[in-house]
Amino acid sequence: MVKRLNFEFYNNHALEVAPLLLGKILVRRFDDGKEIRLRITETEAYCGESDTACHAKAGRTNRTKPLYDKGGTVYVYLCYGIHNLINVVTGEKDDPQAVLIRGVEGFSGPGRLTRALSIDRSFNEDDFSTSHRIWIEDDGFVPKYKTTPRIGIDYATEPYKSAPWRFVLEGEAEK
DNA sequence: AAAGTGATCATG
DNA sequence: ATGATCACTTTG
């Protein structure tokens, strides 16, 4: 039984949604009707303005605006001038949390998976629960996973810097 | 180990 | 207008 994740799923706390997204299937549908499906293997949670690793730490800006939108909103931004990173906004509107999709089956690294799926900044502010070109499905797979601190956030301060908010599917390559 | 890359945000 | 800072990847 495959079902598309809906608003109700995304309307929860990032720390709850992040591990649940493991094992789910990221679907990218192209204009010609072709679809690519890849199982999500790695996620990270970013939790609000108090989380010094979260982009929303500096408050609402033009860039972070999608984080404040309702659960299920797509947040894509350019990192290091090269890579588009894709996040799933979670939680209530005006509560800036998101889950970064860091890896999918066959592609490890958040920049490589967006390149593989041709995801760019035009996807920003799309909606995972209604979009026709990007969504996530549940096929019943129950994830076994482990947690580690998040990657690439040396600029953050404790306790957020070492909070175990990275979620990796059991059996995936560890860094 | 280090560069490449460019939007974004805070300064002036 | 300029400069610092990056949720990374690749190359050596």
Side-chain angles (χ1 to χ4, degrees):
Chain A
M1 170 68 179
V2 177
K3 73 170 192 196
R4 175 173 177 152
L5 298 179
N6 57 18
F7 171 73
E8 191 173 294
F9 177 89
Y10 299 116
N11 190 32
N12 287 293
H13 195 277
L15 287 173
E16 192 176 339
V17 175
L20 288 176
L21 280 176
L22 294 174
K24 298 294 187 287
I25 299 172
L26 181 63
V27 185
R28 168 76 169 98
R29 182 187 158 89
F30 293 90
D31 289 340
D32 62 6
K34 283 211 171 70
E35 293 178 359
I36 296 184
R37 284 156 199 274
L38 293 170
R39 201 177 289 278
I40 296 172
T41 56
E42 190 179 338
T43 59
E44 280 180 5
Y46 289 85
C47 308
E49 295 178 351
S50 57
D51 177 0
T52 53
C54 182
H55 283 171
K57 62 183 177 295
R60 193 190 294 250
T61 68
N62 199 49
R63 178 214 211 187
T64 63
K65 176 171 58 185
L67 290 173
Y68 291 80
D69 218 323
K70 69 176 184 194
T73 300
V74 179
Y75 173 46
V76 180
Y77 78 98
L78 187 65
C79 181
Y80 297 115
I82 304 179
H83 308 287
N84 290 302
L85 271 53
I86 185 166
N87 297 250
V88 184
V89 176
T90 64
E92 301 283 331
K93 183 164 162 44
D94 294 323
D95 187 357
Q97 339 169 334
V99 176
L100 168 67
I101 302 179
R102 273 195 72 84
V104 293
E105 211 166 33
F107 300 92
S108 74
R112 299 186 59 200
L113 83 89
T114 52
R115 195 175 62 184
L117 296 179
S118 302
I119 291 167
D120 58 29
R121 290 174 34 249
S122 76
F123 284 70
N124 208 21
E125 299 188 270
D126 257 24
D127 184 347
F128 277 105
S129 31
T130 60
S131 174
H132 291 285
R133 53 182 184 165
I134 182 104
W135 66 89
I136 302 174
E137 287 176 356
D138 180 4
D139 69 349
F141 184 92
V142 179
K144 266 201 156 169
Y145 62 89
K146 50 185 152 189
T147 61
T148 79
R150 293 169 289 180
I151 303 293
I153 56 159
D154 286 347
Y155 58 89
T157 58
E158 298 295 352
Y160 302 103
K161 185 173 173 177
S162 50
W165 291 352
R166 173 170 174 248
F167 303 86
V168 186
L169 205 68
E170 203 74 48
E172 283 302 306
E174 193 61 34
K175 192 176 222 182

